[in-house]
């Protein structure tokens, strides 16, 4: 299959089509609505399932194999906010709070983009390193911390009387459910290993793709609701939300390749770098940087970058990783 | 039945604030509160929940001084930055000393 | 197996027994209660699963094979309200609003009765046309539209100040979640085909019967709550709710047979004709015809016709289809 | 703290009406509203939800004129046909101009 | 619009009491009620739900006599043993005869 | 494997580790929270699944095989409150209401402890009697009834104006959802048998262990919230909550063995005797004995006895049953 075929295969997967169906539901003003408690339960399931499966793989590796990729992931997560912030401030003309808020989102990661990458690799029969979910877990927080540090240097954190406490906000995401379930799942998976996992596999593995479809249906609705705000975002941020993922993706793929990761692994590192958070980061940013406008950061990450990565980004990062592997 | 007049303060806020807002309610001197879920639309549109419009609704029975103190905190620290509104009603309860703080 | 055995096999299936358990729970005043959000989530799952599976089958057919059955289905759906309305008005003595409301329910269809028919055919190893779910999708709305037209001709729609707008009500069911998920599922299934479906099959196919059991448990409770209103329905409507399904079922089977559908397919067309809506139609009718009494239309469809179809109707329509096939 | 008196209109209605009732609330001049889920029993029994007794509960802070207008619409168009009730309370808010419509 | 003054009694209680409390509300003469879910914290900590803090919130519009009767039952039979609180507000409704019991 | 290995195998199962993760979540003050409706739905699923599977097994047995174990189970359930009450009153110095309330919890049973026992037996390849779920069903209520009788003899039931009606409370648990779903499931399973069950097996059997993990995650959180109350419980009740399960477990195992049950069956009877209810009993006790302090009965059963049984209790009862089998 050439790149175009691969891109088509991605576009026509049940996962992506369910996302599209969610968008269509909003456009048709359908009364389709996922009850909040069910969405919350699906999130818990997905994070735990990602963690468990990753933990089982992790148990087969020696820690040293994870060292370099782990460092690279944290490094990328911490570096992205630096230039994103500078760009948003100087070229985009955003306030300190808005620039830091957007930078936090792009420094952090999106778990659903990550699992869509895994599904895409599985569908194209491309192997990848078993510790990938651990990369997801460790990339969630550092980018947010760096962005908050930038905001504090700019003097905007602590301004607000009620919420503006960055340290508390960071503590809250560290103990937040997505980090907890990912890390908890990794630990449980690593402890019980393949044999223990077998007993819960029908739920956490066999059902994964189907449940992810339902989750993407809901995310399609949420993204489409935000798409109405698209005009408010302005041309600069729209361009930022489309171009930066490509640059970050390329960076991640190149670094992944250069530290010896497989084609699949490099593609995953690229996807993580390219993805922007839209669940954990918004909550943390809202509390610590209330002056920042969610109409910017959430619309950019959820309504622009997320659909872009799902549709065109994944095949692109994959193609780049394959090309690098072949070229060198 | 002998009843006592107290204040019922109702606060509606974006749900990401729940934990901290309840601390503020307690800090203002409330001895209890009741929380329920709601959605809503207001004049601002500044919330950051992925699930837009998801709110919490806090009700607390307090004496007039606590109501006053709570409102001041809300106006100073919360109203300027967050999607929060609040209103106060006069209600009657039995055994008002429970809500005196 | 003879007809009696088949009927018994149907009566003693887990699906039907779960429905009975729900009825028993209400009779014993149990505190068993399905949380609303979970019921909503199960509905979303069921409609999407029906659609997806149907879409995969649809992708294997040429559109022409679907033409005649599709036309027949729409025709039946539009015709049923005509005589139902006349009968309810002239013989039953119902008001225009009540007669149109009830006619709308019997012109539309019940998705759960439909899947119970599929389960019954599977259990008795009877094949059927793969496009059956598409019949379900296209039969949901036409009957309601015709019934509203009758009500408008009678001058009762638009009377109410607030809700009485039939066009808006029809637009709402068309964009409503059941039509959207069915049609969306059909489209996704048709696009991804067997190969793409395989990845989500553990959720949407393997779990289907079990989840349906839980759904029927809840429907048993809902029907039983309505059964208390049975007296209010009166003997005429009770007879209507038992006899019309048999006539409509026979009509559907005969038409299905005569346009060349298989035994299973004819039985399904009969079941769709015989079934009465109790989820989509009540909401639409409540908005457009607020003067109509839900104590009539909902009790008749949910508490009388639905249990009748589940228990005795299905084997009956099946027996008729088999007999026709053999006789001719 | 300087407070202003406004009206709180609370509407409880069968949930199938949610979308249209909120349009009516807005049309009457409300600048915002809060919606929560409820169940209930009343004097009529005319709802058509399969899930019997499922209601929504709408609260809207409005000035007295809007409250009056909203109530008139409810009484004219909604009370005769649907399971809907409404009540009005006097409450105090900070910065009442927000609810002036 | 002609409105009538009635009482709104709001009861918050641990959810295990729902069924019986609603019977008591009806027995006191209420013609209807609205129930929603809530969580809460109070001065006692005496509930037995595995799901701590799970409450129900009952609202009933009644005439003053029924409000008085209901409050008396609550104070006598419920307050001493269970996590229950209640408050009364004055509200205005259209067609008050509906709530006269 | 020796006993220590077996205990370790139990401690390191996904089920138990999920429980631990729930405890950790509370200790870290994580915002992880299982939505109540989802918890309610999982409970419904678990009780129905236990019942269905038990019913299928039951259909293979003659009723006489169940007679002796059934009588033994009821006898144990009724006897436990007698000495528990006496001990709590005379040695512990508890009020009549508190003593009766605690006795009711230990006389009744915990369904999750029961299924954890089944999972443990499965993991250690130990067969057990197919009617085990029926024992669970019949042991839920008798202990509570006896404890209420003691309280009435002590004059404390009926004291409270509002709730103090023991007969009504007992009627409510008999029609309560856990008894209803267990008995309903048993009946449905027995009627449809292996063949009918096959169609719903993917949901009710294959998913069971995985769903149980999610349930235990939530129970870990609930137990940890109660653990903060541990100090209030006092040393006597803490000792009671740790020692009585061991004594009751031993009693159950010995009786099970002496009436000819298998090693697995004796272990199950021991586990049921040892377990304390923390879902059905608290609700019944709260209504009938409002004067009793939930800080005692719920903390003891949920925060002490339940984790003890899950971790150390199960291997202990199993070891005892194995030893008895070998010794005699
Ligand atoms: N006039 C109003 N009446 C009732 N609730 C309101 C009103 N305005 C705002 N709200 C609630 O307060 C939340 C925040 O409002 P706002 O800060 O104006 O965006 C909204 O989501 C509503 O739930
Ligand atoms: N007296 C009342 N107090 C509180 N809520 C009520 C009352 N009467 C009716 N309701 C609510 O209004 C809904 C519709 O009432 P109705 O139109 O009387 O059937 C009910 O489902 C209740 O939620
Ligand atoms: N001051 C208060 N304001 C509002 N709700 C309260 C207050 N005190 C108690 N509650 C509610 O009443 C329930 C029982 O309170 P208590 O009986 O004090 O434990 C709590 O869970 C809260 O939901
Ligand atoms: Na990123
Ligand atoms: Na029909
Ligand atoms: Na026990």
């Amino acid at each position: 299959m050439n790149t175009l075929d691969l891109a088509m295969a991605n576009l026509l997967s049940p996962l992506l089509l369910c996302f599209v169906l969610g968008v269509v539901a909003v456009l048709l003003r359908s009364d389709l609505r996922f009850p909040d408690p069910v969405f919350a339960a699906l999130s818990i399931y997905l994070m735990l399932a990602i963690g468990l499966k990753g933990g089982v793989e992790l148990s087969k590796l020696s820690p040293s194999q994870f060292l370099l990729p782990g460092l690279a992931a944290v490094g990328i997560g911490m570096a992205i906010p630096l230039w994103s912030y500078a760009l948003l401030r100087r070229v985009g003309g955003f306030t300190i709070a808005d620039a830091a808020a957007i930078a936090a989102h792009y420094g952090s990661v999106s778990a659903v983009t990550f699992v869509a990458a895994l599904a895409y690799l599985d569908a194209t029969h491309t192997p990848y390193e078993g510790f990938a979910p651990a990369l997801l877990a460790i990339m969630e927080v550092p980018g947010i911390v760096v962005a908050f540090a930038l905001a504090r240097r700019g003097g905007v954190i602590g301004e607000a009387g009620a919420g503006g406490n960055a340290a508390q906000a960071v503590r809250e995401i560290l103990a937040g459910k997505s980090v907890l379930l990912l890390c908890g799942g990794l630990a449980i998976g690593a402890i019980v290993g393949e044999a223990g996992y077998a007993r819960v596999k029908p739920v956490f593995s066999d059902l994964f793709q189907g449940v992810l479809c339902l989750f993407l249906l809901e995310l399609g609705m949420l993204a489409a609701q935000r798409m109405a705000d698209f005009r408010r975002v302005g041309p600069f941020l729209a361009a930022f939300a489309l171009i930066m993922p490509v640059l970050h993706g390329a960076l991640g793929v190149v670094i992944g390749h250069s530290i010896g990761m497989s084609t699949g692994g490099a593609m995953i590192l690229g996807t993580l770098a390219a993805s922007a958070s839209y669940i954990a980061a918004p909550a943390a940013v809202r509390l610590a940087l209330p002056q920042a406008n969610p109409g910017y950061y959430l619309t950019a990450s959820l309504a622009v970058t997320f659909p872009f990565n799902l549709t065109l980004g994944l095949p692109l990062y994959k193609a780049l990783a394959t090309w690098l592997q072949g070229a060198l | 039945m002998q009843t006592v007049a107290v204040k019922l303060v109702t606060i509606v806020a974006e749900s990401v604030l729940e934990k901290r807002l309840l601390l503020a309610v307690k800090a203002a001197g409330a001895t209890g509160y009741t929380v329920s879920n709601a959605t809503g639309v207001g004049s601002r549109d500044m919330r950051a929940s992925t699930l837009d419009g998801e709110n919490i609704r806090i009700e607390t029975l307090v004496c007039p001084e606590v109501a006053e103190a709570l409102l001041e905190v809300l106006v100073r620290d919360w109203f300027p930055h967050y999607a929060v509104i609040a209103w106060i009603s006069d209600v009657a309860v039995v055994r008002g000393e429970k809500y005196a703080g």
Side-chain angles (χ1 to χ4, degrees), chain A, chain B:
Chain A
M1 282 203 279
N2 63 22
T3 307
L4 200 71
D5 289 346
L6 284 175
M8 283 309 290
N10 182 49
L11 286 175
L12 302 182
S13 74
L15 292 178
L16 208 70
L17 293 170
C18 279
F19 182 83
V20 172
L21 183 58
V23 173
V24 169
V26 171
L27 296 181
L28 295 178
R29 288 166 200 250
S30 169
D31 66 344
L32 179 63
R33 220 194 286 180
F34 244 79
D36 296 350
V38 176
F39 185 67
L42 292 184
S43 314
I44 291 175
Y45 166 81
L46 287 175
M47 300 311 283
L48 192 58
I50 295 171
L52 281 175
K53 208 172 162 212
V56 172
E57 297 302 323
L58 218 52
S59 69
K60 302 180 193 157
L61 301 172
S62 76
S64 67
Q65 291 173 281
F66 178 66
L67 189 70
L68 224 53
L71 283 175
V74 172
I76 295 172
M78 296 180 78
I80 285 174
L82 296 177
W83 58 72
S84 299
Y85 177 80
L87 201 66
L88 290 159
R89 283 287 289 153
R90 301 211 190 134
V91 188
F94 284 91
T95 65
I96 295 178
D98 281 325
I102 301 168
H105 285 71
Y106 284 83
S108 185
V109 288
S110 149
V112 175
T113 311
F114 169 80
V115 294
L118 299 195
Y120 183 55
L121 291 176
D122 286 342
T124 58
H125 308 290
T126 316
Y128 52 86
E129 281 76 0
F131 54 68
L135 297 181
L136 171 70
I138 62 172
M139 277 183 87
E140 187 145 4
V141 179
I144 300 176
V145 174
V146 170
F148 284 179
L150 292 170
R152 161 161 303 159
R153 233 198 32 177
V156 300
I157 277 193
E159 221 179 53
N165 186 332
Q168 194 184 338
V170 168
R171 221 178 308 125
E172 281 175 13
I173 359 168
L174 274 174
K177 66 180 164 194
S178 63
V179 174
L180 184 97
L181 287 168
L182 266 180
C183 294
L186 283 167
I188 295 175
I191 293 173
V192 304
E194 201 75 74
Y197 184 63
R199 290 150 63 187
V200 298
K201 202 168 165 294
V203 165
F204 291 108
S205 189
D206 301 352
L207 302 188
F208 192 81
Q209 293 257 337
V211 173
L212 193 55
C213 278
L214 295 172
F215 203 77
L216 277 163
L217 178 63
E218 169 72 8
L219 282 179
M221 287 189 272
L222 295 175
Q225 281 156 8
R226 284 277 158 186
M227 282 172 196
D229 295 348
F230 195 76
R231 272 157 310 167
R232 283 204 240 165
V233 157
F236 177 81
L237 188 52
F240 180 95
L242 289 172
I243 296 171
M244 294 311 281
V246 177
L247 299 182
H248 295 158
L251 179 74
V253 170
V254 169
I255 292 182
H257 179 75
S258 67
I259 60 173
M261 293 175 80
S262 68
T263 303
M267 185 268 193
I268 288 170
L269 193 61
T271 302
L272 286 170
S275 75
S277 168
Y278 48 80
I279 294 186
V285 164
R286 186 73 183 128
L287 287 170
L289 286 169
Q291 312 95 313
N293 186 348
Y296 294 144
Y297 57 76
L298 194 53
T299 307
S301 65
L302 178 58
V304 185
T305 299
F306 178 57
F308 170 78
N309 276 331
L310 276 189
T311 50
L312 302 179
L314 297 184
L316 198 64
Y317 312 141
K318 169 87 194 309
L320 181 61
T322 310
W323 177 82
L324 269 185
Q325 199 72 32
L328 306 173
Chain B
M1 183 100 327
Q2 191 63 36
T3 60
V4 180
V6 298
K7 298 285 180 183
L8 174 68
V9 182
T10 306
I11 307 170
V12 176
E14 46 185 323
S15 51
V16 74
L17 302 178
E18 176 163 358
K19 231 189 206 170
R20 297 189 185 188
L21 208 43
L22 292 177
L23 288 178
V25 168
K26 257 192 218 159
T31 59
Y33 49 76
T34 297
V35 184
S36 48
N37 295 318
T39 58
V41 165
S43 52
R44 287 175 291 186
D45 197 9
M46 291 288 288
R47 78 237 353 285
S49 172
T50 321
L51 297 166
D52 230 23
E54 217 188 84
N55 287 334
I56 50 158
R57 187 176 174 284
I58 303 172
E59 287 171 297
T60 180
L61 289 171
V62 290
C63 61
E65 297 75 45
V66 171
E68 174 84 0
L70 180 51
L71 217 61
E72 251 160 46
V73 170
L74 290 175
V75 168
R76 195 189 61 211
D77 294 344
W78 298 84
F79 282 13
H81 300 299
Y82 297 106
V84 179
I85 66 162
W87 65 84
I88 302 188
S89 344
D90 292 302
V91 303
V93 297
V94 189
R95 291 186 304 184
E97 64 287 0
K98 186 171 169 179
Y99 311 106

